[in-house]
Amino acid sequence: MKFASTRGKSPSVTLSQAIDAGLAPDGGLYVPEVFPQYENLGFKKDAHGNDQFDVVNTLAPFFEGDPLLPSLEKICENAFNFPTPLRDLGDGTSVLELFHGPTAAFKDVGARFLAECQSRFSKGKRTVLVATSGDTGGAVAAAYHGRPNFEVIILFPKGMVSARQQQQLTCWGDNIRAYAVRGTFDDCQRMAKDAFKDSRFTNAGLTSANSINIGRLLPQMTYYAKASMEYIALHGMAPSFIIPSGNLGNSVAALWAKKMGFPIGQIILATNANRSVPDFFESGKWKPQATKATLANAMDVGNPSNIERAIHLYPKMDALREDVSAISVNDDEIKEVITSGVEFGNVWCPHTATAVKVRETIPSDHWIIVSTAHPAKFETIVEPLIGKKIEVPIALSALLNKESVYKEIDAVLSQVVF
Ligand SMILES: *Cc1c(COP(=O)(O)O)cnc(C)c1O
C-alpha cells in the first residue's frame, strides 16, 4: 500500500514514510491510494453469523509492504488498551464513547497508535511538535511521555483551553515542554506548519503528531468500523454517525471507514459556531474563516487542515453532499443541551453536546452520537449548568494533582526553543 499527497505533486510513499513526514513535501496531506474493502478483510463469524470485528485485520492492508507490518499486532495491543463502548440511549440513538483513555478524549486513540508506530522506526532523537486547540496536546504528551529519544513541544492558545485541559498539557515535565502562545489555535498551527517548511528544523529530527499525520487517522477508522458492525448485528440496520468536528481528523476517519464499505449510512459533521465547513456545504466553495472562541474549544478551528482530505475523497460536491452534511451549533444551544441532558441522566461535554443537538433535529432512527470527551474535562462549563459535581475519571485525577509548568510566548516561531 502506498500513500499519496492530496496535492498530487509529491511522490507516493510507504506508511512509515508518510507517518515520519507528517506533511507531504508539496504541502498536501497523505491519503491511502486505495481503500481495501470490508468484505475482503476475512473477519471471523460469531455464533449468529455476524462478522466479528478485528482491528489488526482492518488495519493490515494499510501496512502492506511496510516494515511496521510485523509489529502491527503489538502496536494495536498497546495502543487500543481502553474500551470504546456503544451505549444505547433508546429512541433510535446510541452513543459511541471515545473518552475512556488516559486523557479522557478520543485523541488518545490516535496519539497512542502514532507513538507506537514512530517509536518503532525512528532512529536518533526526534522532536514532536504539536499545535493544539485543547485536547491533542494532552493526548500526545500522555502517549510520548517517558519514551526515550522523543521530545515533545506543545503549542496551545493562551486562555483558550479549559483549566483542566491546560493542566493536562503542562503537568508532564521530563521530555514534554508546553508553550502558551498569545494567539489562536490557527496561529499555533501556522507556527507548526512554518517549522515543518524549514529544513533547519526538519533536518534536526522534527516530526508531527497533529491530525495531519496519517498515523492518527488510520486507527481512528477502527472505532467507526467496530461500532458499525456491532450496531448492524444488534439492530439489523447500518447506523449513521453525528461527529463533533473541528480540524476534521475524526470525521475523515469516519469517511474512510465508510469508503472501506463498513456499514455506515450518513455522516453529519456537527460544528460549533465556527462555520467554515457548514458554509462550504452550502456554497460549494471552500473559504477558511478566522477562528471564533466557543464553549467547545477543541473544535475552535476556522481553517481545518483535513478539509483537504475530505475534498480529495469527494472531488464532486454532489457526491459529498449525498453522504455527508454539516450543521453548526452555537454556544446557547450547547448550554441548552447540557442543561436538559441531565434530566435524562446524561452529562455531555460541550463538544458532544453539538452532536446531541443535531440528533434532536433529525426525525429518523439509527443514529450514533460520537462522544469525543468526558465532561469532567470541562467542569467549569458543565457543572454550573447541571448544578452538580462531575465525578472525575481516575486517570484524569492523577494528572490533575501534578505540578504545572509552561512558558508564555508571542505567536512567532522564533520564540520556541528547539
Ligand atoms: C479534537 C476534538 C474534537 C474535534 O476533532 P477533529 O478531529 O479535530 O475534528 C471534538 N471533540 C473533542 C473533545 C476534541 O478533543
Side-chain angles (χ1 to χ4, degrees), residues 135-224:
D135 282 342
T136 295
V140 168
Y144 288 84
H145 183 236
R147 280 185 195 266
N149 297 335
F150 284 90
E151 284 255 4
V152 175
I153 296 177
I154 297 169
L155 307 176
F156 67 93
K158 178 179 177 263
M160 290 189 178
V161 303
S162 82
R164 281 187 185 166
Q165 277 180 324
Q166 180 156 328
Q167 177 66 22
Q168 288 171 73
L169 300 172
T170 59
C171 73
W172 300 94
D174 305 326
N175 60 333
I176 316 285
R177 280 183 291 141
Y179 289 95
V181 175
R182 297 183 198 102
T184 62
F185 169 64
D186 288 342
D187 289 317
C188 298
Q189 204 168 36
R190 172 183 49 75
M191 290 163 71
K193 280 189 176 167
D194 286 348
F196 282 103
K197 282 185 209 142
D198 192 326
S199 58
R200 276 177 309 161
F201 299 128
T202 50
N203 290 343
L206 191 67
T207 185
S208 114
N210 270 96
S211 65
I212 55 170
N213 198 305
I214 185 115
R216 277 182 47 180
L217 267 65
L218 296 179
Q220 290 178 180
M221 289 191 305
T222 64
Y223 47 70
Y224 292 108

Coordinates of all heavy atoms in Angstrom, one line a residue, residues 135-224:
D135 N -7.2 19.4 23.3 CA -7.1 18.0 23.6 C -5.9 17.3 23.0 O -5.4 16.4 23.6 CB -8.4 17.3 23.3 CG -9.5 17.6 24.3 OD1 -9.2 18.1 25.4 OD2 -10.7 17.4 24.0
T136 N -5.5 17.7 21.8 CA -4.5 16.9 21.1 C -3.2 16.9 22.0 O -2.6 15.9 22.2 CB -4.1 17.6 19.8 OG1 -5.3 17.5 18.9 CG2 -2.9 16.9 19.1
G137 N -2.8 18.1 22.5 CA -1.5 18.2 23.2 C -1.5 17.3 24.4 O -0.5 16.6 24.6
G138 N -2.5 17.2 25.1 CA -2.6 16.3 26.3 C -2.4 14.8 25.9 O -1.7 14.1 26.5
A139 N -3.2 14.5 24.9 CA -3.1 13.1 24.4 C -1.7 12.7 23.9 O -1.2 11.6 24.1 CB -4.2 12.8 23.3
V140 N -1.1 13.7 23.1 CA 0.2 13.4 22.6 C 1.2 13.3 23.7 O 2.1 12.5 23.8 CB 0.6 14.5 21.6 CG1 2.1 14.5 21.2 CG2 -0.3 14.4 20.3
A141 N 1.1 14.3 24.7 CA 2.0 14.3 25.8 C 1.9 12.9 26.6 O 2.9 12.3 26.9 CB 1.7 15.4 26.8
A142 N 0.7 12.5 26.8 CA 0.5 11.2 27.5 C 1.1 10.0 26.7 O 1.7 9.1 27.3 CB -1.0 11.0 27.8
A143 N 0.9 10.1 25.4 CA 1.4 9.0 24.6 C 2.9 8.9 24.5 O 3.5 7.8 24.3 CB 0.8 9.1 23.2
Y144 N 3.6 10.1 24.6 CA 5.1 10.1 24.4 C 5.9 10.3 25.7 O 7.1 10.2 25.6 CB 5.5 11.2 23.4 CG 5.1 11.0 22.0 CD1 3.8 11.3 21.5 CD2 6.0 10.4 21.1 CE1 3.4 11.1 20.2 CE2 5.6 10.2 19.8 CZ 4.4 10.5 19.3 OH 4.0 10.3 18.1
H145 N 5.1 10.6 26.7 CA 5.8 10.8 28.0 C 6.7 9.7 28.4 O 6.3 8.5 28.4 CB 4.8 11.1 29.1 CG 5.5 11.5 30.4 ND1 5.3 10.8 31.6 CD2 6.4 12.4 30.7 CE1 6.0 11.4 32.5 NE2 6.7 12.3 32.0
G146 N 8.0 9.9 28.7 CA 8.9 8.9 29.1 C 9.4 8.0 28.0 O 10.2 7.1 28.3
R147 N 9.1 8.3 26.7 CA 9.6 7.5 25.6 C 11.0 8.0 25.3 O 11.2 9.1 24.9 CB 8.8 7.6 24.4 CG 7.5 6.7 24.4 CD 6.8 6.7 23.1 NE 5.5 6.2 23.3 CZ 5.2 4.9 23.1 NH1 6.1 4.0 22.6 NH2 3.9 4.5 23.3
P148 N 12.0 7.1 25.4 CA 13.4 7.5 25.1 C 13.5 8.0 23.7 O 12.7 7.5 22.8 CB 14.2 6.3 25.3 CG 13.3 5.1 25.4 CD 11.9 5.7 25.7
N149 N 14.3 9.0 23.4 CA 14.5 9.5 22.0 C 13.5 10.5 21.6 O 13.5 11.0 20.5 CB 14.7 8.5 21.0 CG 15.9 7.6 21.2 OD1 16.9 8.1 21.9 ND2 15.9 6.4 20.8
F150 N 12.4 10.7 22.3 CA 11.4 11.7 21.9 C 11.3 12.9 22.8 O 11.2 12.7 24.1 CB 10.0 11.0 21.8 CG 9.8 10.1 20.6 CD1 10.2 8.8 20.7 CD2 9.4 10.6 19.4 CE1 10.1 8.0 19.6 CE2 9.3 9.8 18.3 CZ 9.6 8.5 18.4
E151 N 11.3 14.1 22.2 CA 11.0 15.3 22.9 C 9.6 15.8 22.4 O 9.4 15.6 21.2 CB 11.9 16.4 22.5 CG 13.3 16.3 23.1 CD 13.5 17.4 24.2 OE1 12.6 18.1 24.6 OE2 14.6 17.4 24.7
V152 N 8.8 16.3 23.2 CA 7.5 16.9 22.7 C 7.5 18.3 23.0 O 7.7 18.8 24.1 CB 6.3 16.1 23.4 CG1 5.0 16.8 22.9 CG2 6.3 14.7 23.0
I153 N 7.1 19.2 22.0 CA 6.9 20.6 22.2 C 5.4 20.9 21.9 O 4.9 20.6 20.8 CB 7.8 21.4 21.3 CG1 9.3 21.2 21.6 CG2 7.4 22.9 21.4 CD1 10.2 21.9 20.7
I154 N 4.7 21.4 22.8 CA 3.3 21.7 22.7 C 3.0 23.2 22.6 O 3.5 24.0 23.4 CB 2.5 21.2 23.9 CG1 2.6 19.6 24.1 CG2 1.0 21.6 23.8 CD1 2.1 19.1 25.4
L155 N 2.3 23.6 21.5 CA 1.9 25.0 21.4 C 0.4 25.1 21.6 O -0.4 24.4 20.9 CB 2.2 25.5 20.0 CG 3.6 25.3 19.5 CD1 3.7 25.8 18.0 CD2 4.6 26.1 20.3
F156 N -0.1 25.8 22.6 CA -1.5 25.9 22.8 C -1.9 27.4 22.9 O -1.1 28.2 23.4 CB -2.0 25.1 24.1 CG -1.5 25.6 25.4 CD1 -2.3 26.5 26.2 CD2 -0.3 25.2 25.9 CE1 -1.9 26.9 27.4 CE2 0.1 25.6 27.2 CZ -0.7 26.5 27.9
P157 N -3.1 27.8 22.5 CA -3.5 29.2 22.6 C -3.8 29.6 24.0 O -4.7 29.0 24.6 CB -4.8 29.2 21.7 CG -5.3 27.9 21.7 CD -4.2 26.9 21.9
K158 N -3.1 30.6 24.5 CA -3.2 31.1 25.8 C -4.7 31.5 26.1 O -5.3 32.2 25.3 CB -2.3 32.2 26.1 CG -2.4 32.8 27.4 CD -1.4 34.0 27.6 CE -1.6 34.5 29.0 NZ -2.4 35.7 29.1
G159 N -5.2 31.0 27.2 CA -6.5 31.5 27.7 C -7.7 30.9 26.9 O -8.8 31.2 27.1
M160 N -7.4 29.9 26.0 CA -8.5 29.4 25.2 C -8.7 27.9 25.4 O -9.4 27.2 24.7 CB -8.2 29.6 23.7 CG -8.3 31.1 23.3 SD -8.2 31.2 21.5 CE -8.4 32.9 21.3
V161 N -8.0 27.4 26.4 CA -8.2 26.0 26.8 C -8.8 26.0 28.2 O -8.5 26.9 29.0 CB -6.9 25.1 26.7 CG1 -6.3 25.2 25.3 CG2 -5.9 25.6 27.7
S162 N -9.5 24.9 28.6 CA -10.0 24.9 29.9 C -8.9 24.6 31.0 O -7.8 24.2 30.6 CB -11.1 23.7 30.1 OG -10.4 22.5 30.3
A163 N -9.2 24.9 32.2 CA -8.1 24.8 33.3 C -7.6 23.4 33.3 O -6.4 23.1 33.5 CB -8.7 25.2 34.6
R164 N -8.6 22.4 33.2 CA -8.1 21.0 33.3 C -7.4 20.6 32.0 O -6.5 19.8 32.1 CB -9.3 20.1 33.6 CG -9.7 20.1 35.0 CD -10.8 19.1 35.4 NE -11.2 19.3 36.8 CZ -12.2 18.7 37.3 NH1 -13.1 18.0 36.6 NH2 -12.5 18.9 38.6
Q165 N -7.8 21.1 30.9 CA -7.0 20.8 29.7 C -5.6 21.4 29.8 O -4.6 20.7 29.5 CB -7.7 21.5 28.4 CG -8.8 20.7 27.8 CD -9.4 21.5 26.6 OE1 -9.5 22.7 26.6 NE2 -9.8 20.8 25.6
Q166 N -5.5 22.6 30.3 CA -4.2 23.2 30.4 C -3.3 22.4 31.4 O -2.1 22.2 31.1 CB -4.3 24.6 31.0 CG -3.0 25.3 31.1 CD -3.1 26.8 31.1 OE1 -3.9 27.4 30.4 NE2 -2.2 27.5 31.8
Q167 N -3.9 21.9 32.4 CA -3.2 21.0 33.4 C -2.6 19.8 32.6 O -1.5 19.4 32.8 CB -4.1 20.6 34.5 CG -3.5 19.7 35.5 CD -2.4 20.3 36.3 OE1 -2.3 21.5 36.4 NE2 -1.5 19.4 36.8
Q168 N -3.5 19.2 31.7 CA -3.0 18.0 31.0 C -2.0 18.3 29.9 O -1.3 17.4 29.4 CB -4.2 17.4 30.3 CG -5.2 16.7 31.3 CD -6.4 16.3 30.6 OE1 -6.4 15.4 29.8 NE2 -7.5 17.0 30.8
L169 N -1.8 19.6 29.6 CA -0.8 20.0 28.6 C 0.5 20.3 29.3 O 1.6 20.2 28.8 CB -1.2 21.3 27.9 CG -2.5 21.1 27.0 CD1 -2.9 22.5 26.5 CD2 -2.3 20.2 25.9
T170 N 0.4 20.7 30.6 CA 1.6 21.3 31.3 C 2.1 20.5 32.5 O 3.0 21.0 33.2 CB 1.2 22.7 31.7 OG1 0.1 22.6 32.6 CG2 0.8 23.6 30.6
C171 N 1.5 19.3 32.8 CA 1.8 18.6 34.0 C 2.9 17.6 33.9 O 3.2 16.9 34.8 CB 0.6 17.9 34.6 SG 0.1 16.5 33.6
W172 N 3.5 17.5 32.7 CA 4.3 16.3 32.5 C 5.8 16.4 32.9 O 6.4 15.5 33.5 CB 4.2 15.9 31.0 CG 2.8 15.6 30.6 CD1 2.0 16.5 30.0 CD2 2.1 14.4 30.8 NE1 0.7 15.9 29.9 CE2 0.8 14.6 30.3 CE3 2.5 13.1 31.3 CZ2 -0.2 13.6 30.3 CZ3 1.5 12.1 31.3 CH2 0.2 12.4 30.9
G173 N 6.4 17.5 32.5 CA 7.9 17.6 32.7 C 8.6 16.6 31.9 O 8.1 16.1 30.8
D174 N 9.8 16.2 32.3 CA 10.7 15.2 31.6 C 10.8 15.6 30.1 O 11.3 16.7 29.9 CB 10.1 13.8 31.7 CG 9.9 13.4 33.2 OD1 10.8 13.8 34.0 OD2 9.0 12.7 33.5
N175 N 10.4 14.8 29.2 CA 10.6 15.1 27.8 C 9.5 15.9 27.1 O 9.4 16.0 25.9 CB 10.8 13.7 27.0 CG 9.6 12.8 27.2 OD1 8.8 12.9 28.2 ND2 9.3 12.0 26.2
I176 N 8.6 16.5 27.9 CA 7.5 17.3 27.4 C 7.6 18.7 27.8 O 7.8 19.0 29.0 CB 6.1 16.7 28.0 CG1 6.1 15.2 28.0 CG2 4.9 17.4 27.2 CD1 5.9 14.5 26.7
R177 N 7.5 19.7 26.8 CA 7.5 21.1 27.1 C 6.3 21.8 26.5 O 5.9 21.4 25.4 CB 8.8 21.8 26.6 CG 10.0 21.5 27.5 CD 11.2 22.3 26.9 NE 11.6 21.7 25.7 CZ 12.1 22.3 24.6 NH1 12.1 23.7 24.6 NH2 12.5 21.7 23.5
A178 N 5.7 22.7 27.3 CA 4.5 23.3 26.8 C 4.7 24.8 26.7 O 5.3 25.5 27.5 CB 3.3 23.0 27.7
Y179 N 4.2 25.4 25.6 CA 4.2 26.9 25.4 C 2.7 27.4 25.3 O 2.0 26.9 24.5 CB 4.9 27.3 24.1 CG 6.4 27.0 24.1 CD1 6.9 25.9 23.7 CD2 7.2 28.0 24.6 CE1 8.3 25.7 23.7 CE2 8.6 27.8 24.6 CZ 9.1 26.7 24.1 OH 10.5 26.5 24.2
A180 N 2.4 28.4 26.1 CA 1.2 29.2 26.0 C 1.4 30.3 25.0 O 2.1 31.2 25.2 CB 0.7 29.7 27.3
V181 N 0.8 30.2 23.8 CA 1.0 31.1 22.7 C 0.0 32.3 22.8 O -1.2 32.0 22.9 CB 0.9 30.4 21.3 CG1 1.0 31.4 20.2 CG2 2.0 29.4 21.2
R182 N 0.4 33.5 22.7 CA -0.5 34.6 22.7 C -1.1 34.8 21.3 O -0.6 35.5 20.5 CB 0.2 36.0 23.1 CG 0.8 35.9 24.5 CD 1.5 37.3 24.9 NE 2.3 37.1 26.0 CZ 3.7 37.0 25.9 NH1 4.3 37.2 24.8 NH2 4.4 36.8 27.0
G183 N -2.1 34.0 21.1 CA -2.8 33.9 19.8 C -3.8 32.9 19.8 O -4.2 32.4 20.9
T184 N -4.3 32.5 18.6 CA -5.4 31.5 18.5 C -4.8 30.1 18.1 O -3.6 30.0 17.9 CB -6.3 31.9 17.3 OG1 -5.6 31.9 16.1 CG2 -7.0 33.2 17.6
F185 N -5.6 29.1 18.0 CA -5.1 27.8 17.6 C -4.6 27.9 16.2 O -3.6 27.3 15.8 CB -6.3 26.8 17.6 CG -5.9 25.5 16.9 CD1 -4.9 24.7 17.3 CD2 -6.6 25.1 15.8 CE1 -4.6 23.5 16.7 CE2 -6.3 23.9 15.1 CZ -5.3 23.1 15.6
D186 N -5.2 28.7 15.3 CA -4.7 28.9 13.9 C -3.3 29.4 13.9 O -2.5 29.0 13.1 CB -5.6 29.8 13.1 CG -7.0 29.1 12.8 OD1 -7.0 27.8 12.9 OD2 -7.9 29.7 12.4
D187 N -3.0 30.3 14.9 CA -1.6 30.8 15.0 C -0.7 29.7 15.4 O 0.4 29.6 14.8 CB -1.5 31.9 16.1 CG -2.2 33.2 15.7 OD1 -2.0 33.6 14.5 OD2 -2.9 33.8 16.5
C188 N -1.1 28.9 16.3 CA -0.3 27.7 16.7 C 0.0 26.8 15.6 O 1.1 26.3 15.3 CB -0.9 27.0 17.9 SG -1.2 27.9 19.4
Q189 N -1.1 26.6 14.8 CA -1.0 25.7 13.7 C -0.1 26.2 12.6 O 0.7 25.5 12.0 CB -2.4 25.4 13.1 CG -2.4 24.0 12.4 CD -3.8 23.6 12.1 OE1 -4.7 24.4 11.8 NE2 -4.0 22.3 12.1
R190 N -0.2 27.6 12.4 CA 0.7 28.2 11.4 C 2.2 28.1 11.8 O 3.0 27.8 11.0 CB 0.3 29.7 11.3 CG 1.2 30.5 10.4 CD 0.8 32.0 10.4 NE 0.6 32.6 11.7 CZ 1.5 32.9 12.6 NH1 2.8 32.8 12.3 NH2 1.1 33.5 13.8
M191 N 2.4 28.3 13.1 CA 3.8 28.2 13.6 C 4.3 26.8 13.4 O 5.5 26.6 12.9 CB 3.8 28.5 15.1 CG 3.6 30.0 15.4 SD 3.1 30.3 17.1 CE 4.7 30.0 18.0
A192 N 3.5 25.8 13.6 CA 3.9 24.4 13.4 C 4.2 24.2 11.9 O 5.2 23.6 11.6 CB 2.9 23.5 13.9
K193 N 3.3 24.7 11.1 CA 3.5 24.5 9.6 C 4.8 25.2 9.2 O 5.5 24.6 8.3 CB 2.3 25.0 8.9 CG 1.1 24.0 8.9 CD 0.0 24.4 7.9 CE -1.1 23.3 7.9 NZ -2.3 23.8 7.2
D194 N 5.0 26.4 9.7 CA 6.3 27.1 9.3 C 7.5 26.3 9.7 O 8.5 26.2 8.9 CB 6.3 28.5 10.0 CG 5.4 29.5 9.4 OD1 4.8 29.2 8.3 OD2 5.2 30.5 10.0
A195 N 7.5 25.7 10.9 CA 8.6 24.9 11.3 C 8.8 23.7 10.4 O 10.0 23.4 10.0 CB 8.4 24.4 12.7
F196 N 7.7 23.1 9.9 CA 7.9 21.9 9.0 C 8.3 22.3 7.6 O 8.8 21.5 6.9 CB 6.6 21.1 9.0 CG 6.4 20.3 10.2 CD1 5.6 20.6 11.2 CD2 7.2 19.1 10.4 CE1 5.4 19.9 12.4 CE2 7.1 18.4 11.5 CZ 6.2 18.7 12.5
K197 N 8.2 23.6 7.3 CA 8.7 24.1 6.0 C 10.2 24.4 6.0 O 10.8 24.7 5.0 CB 7.9 25.3 5.5 CG 6.5 25.0 5.0 CD 5.9 26.3 4.5 CE 4.4 26.2 4.5 NZ 3.8 27.5 4.9
D198 N 10.8 24.4 7.2 CA 12.1 24.9 7.5 C 13.1 23.7 7.6 O 13.0 23.0 8.6 CB 12.1 25.8 8.7 CG 13.4 26.6 8.9 OD1 14.5 26.1 8.5 OD2 13.3 27.7 9.4
S199 N 14.0 23.6 6.7 CA 14.9 22.4 6.7 C 15.8 22.4 7.9 O 16.3 21.4 8.4 CB 15.7 22.3 5.4 OG 16.5 23.5 5.3
R200 N 16.0 23.6 8.5 CA 16.9 23.6 9.8 C 16.2 22.7 10.9 O 16.9 22.0 11.6 CB 17.0 25.0 10.3 CG 18.0 25.9 9.7 CD 18.0 27.3 10.3 NE 16.6 27.8 10.2 CZ 16.2 28.8 10.9 NH1 16.9 29.4 11.8 NH2 15.0 29.3 10.7
F201 N 14.9 22.8 10.9 CA 14.2 22.0 11.9 C 13.9 20.6 11.5 O 14.1 19.6 12.2 CB 12.8 22.6 12.3 CG 13.0 24.0 12.8 CD1 12.2 25.1 12.3 CD2 13.8 24.3 13.9 CE1 12.4 26.4 12.8 CE2 13.9 25.6 14.4 CZ 13.2 26.6 13.8
T202 N 13.5 20.4 10.2 CA 13.2 19.1 9.8 C 14.4 18.2 9.7 O 14.4 17.0 10.1 CB 12.5 19.1 8.4 OG1 13.3 19.9 7.5 CG2 11.1 19.6 8.5
N203 N 15.6 18.8 9.4 CA 16.8 18.0 9.4 C 17.2 17.6 10.8 O 18.0 16.7 11.0 CB 18.0 18.8 8.7 CG 17.7 18.9 7.2 OD1 17.0 18.2 6.6 ND2 18.4 19.9 6.6
A204 N 16.8 18.4 11.8 CA 17.1 18.1 13.2 C 16.2 17.1 13.8 O 16.1 17.0 15.0 CB 17.2 19.4 14.0
G205 N 15.4 16.4 13.0 CA 14.5 15.4 13.5 C 13.1 15.8 14.0 O 12.5 15.1 14.8
L206 N 12.7 16.9 13.4 CA 11.3 17.4 13.7 C 10.3 16.5 13.1 O 10.4 16.0 12.0 CB 11.1 18.8 13.1 CG 9.9 19.6 13.6 CD1 10.0 19.9 15.1 CD2 9.7 20.8 12.8
T207 N 9.3 16.2 13.9 CA 8.2 15.3 13.4 C 6.8 15.8 14.0 O 6.8 16.5 15.0 CB 8.5 13.8 13.7 OG1 7.5 13.0 13.1 CG2 8.5 13.5 15.2
S208 N 5.7 15.4 13.4 CA 4.5 15.9 13.8 C 3.6 14.8 14.4 O 3.7 13.7 14.1 CB 3.7 16.5 12.6 OG 2.6 15.8 12.3
A209 N 2.7 15.3 15.3 CA 1.7 14.4 15.8 C 0.3 15.0 15.7 O -0.7 14.5 16.3 CB 2.0 14.0 17.3
N210 N 0.2 16.0 14.8 CA -1.2 16.6 14.6 C -2.0 15.7 13.8 O -1.6 14.8 13.2 CB -1.0 18.0 13.9 CG -0.8 19.1 15.0 OD1 0.3 19.5 15.3 ND2 -1.9 19.5 15.5
S211 N -3.3 16.1 13.7 CA -4.2 15.2 13.0 C -4.0 15.3 11.5 O -4.6 14.6 10.7 CB -5.7 15.4 13.3 OG -6.1 16.7 12.9
I212 N -3.0 16.1 11.0 CA -2.5 15.9 9.7 C -1.7 14.6 9.5 O -1.6 14.1 8.4 CB -1.6 17.1 9.2 CG1 -0.4 17.3 10.2 CG2 -2.4 18.4 9.1 CD1 0.7 18.2 9.7
N213 N -1.3 14.0 10.6 CA -0.5 12.8 10.5 C -1.4 11.6 10.2 O -2.3 11.3 11.0 CB 0.4 12.6 11.7 CG 1.5 11.6 11.4 OD1 1.3 10.5 11.0 ND2 2.7 12.1 11.7
I214 N -1.1 10.9 9.2 CA -1.9 9.7 8.8 C -1.9 8.6 9.9 O -2.9 7.9 10.0 CB -1.5 9.2 7.4 CG1 -2.4 8.0 7.0 CG2 0.0 8.6 7.5 CD1 -3.1 8.3 5.7
G215 N -0.8 8.6 10.7 CA -0.7 7.6 11.8 C -1.8 7.8 12.9 O -2.0 7.0 13.7
R216 N -2.4 9.0 12.9 CA -3.5 9.2 13.8 C -4.9 8.8 13.2 O -5.8 8.4 13.9 CB -3.6 10.6 14.3 CG -2.6 10.9 15.4 CD -2.7 12.3 15.9 NE -4.0 12.8 16.2 CZ -4.3 14.0 16.6 NH1 -3.3 14.8 16.9 NH2 -5.5 14.4 16.8
L217 N -5.0 9.1 11.9 CA -6.3 8.9 11.3 C -6.6 7.4 11.1 O -7.8 7.0 11.3 CB -6.4 9.6 9.9 CG -7.0 11.0 10.1 CD1 -6.1 11.9 10.9 CD2 -7.3 11.6 8.7
L218 N -5.6 6.6 10.7 CA -5.9 5.2 10.4 C -6.5 4.5 11.7 O -7.5 3.8 11.5 CB -4.7 4.5 9.9 CG -4.1 4.9 8.6 CD1 -2.8 4.1 8.3 CD2 -5.1 4.7 7.5
P219 N -5.9 4.6 12.9 CA -6.5 3.9 14.0 C -7.9 4.5 14.3 O -8.7 3.7 14.8 CB -5.5 4.2 15.1 CG -4.8 5.4 14.7 CD -4.7 5.3 13.2
Q220 N -8.2 5.7 14.0 CA -9.5 6.3 14.3 C -10.6 5.7 13.4 O -11.7 5.6 13.8 CB -9.5 7.8 14.2 CG -8.7 8.5 15.3 CD -8.6 10.0 15.2 OE1 -7.9 10.6 16.0 NE2 -9.1 10.6 14.2
M221 N -10.2 5.1 12.3 CA -11.2 4.4 11.5 C -11.8 3.2 12.2 O -12.9 2.8 12.0 CB -10.6 3.9 10.2 CG -10.2 4.9 9.2 SD -9.8 4.2 7.6 CE -8.5 3.1 8.1
T222 N -10.9 2.6 13.1 CA -11.3 1.3 13.6 C -12.5 1.4 14.5 O -13.3 0.5 14.6 CB -10.2 0.6 14.3 OG1 -9.7 1.3 15.4 CG2 -9.0 0.4 13.3
Y223 N -12.7 2.5 15.3 CA -13.8 2.5 16.2 C -15.1 2.8 15.4 O -16.2 2.4 15.8 CB -13.7 3.4 17.4 CG -13.1 4.8 17.2 CD1 -13.8 5.8 16.6 CD2 -11.9 5.2 17.7 CE1 -13.3 7.1 16.4 CE2 -11.3 6.4 17.6 CZ -12.1 7.4 16.9 OH -11.6 8.7 16.8
Y224 N -15.0 3.4 14.2 CA -16.2 3.5 13.4 C -16.6 2.2 12.8 O -17.7 1.8 12.7 CB -16.0 4.5 12.3 CG -15.9 6.0 12.8 CD1 -14.7 6.6 12.8 CD2 -17.0 6.6 13.3 CE1 -14.6 7.9 13.3 CE2 -17.0 7.9 13.8 CZ -15.7 8.5 13.8 OH -15.7 9.8 14.3

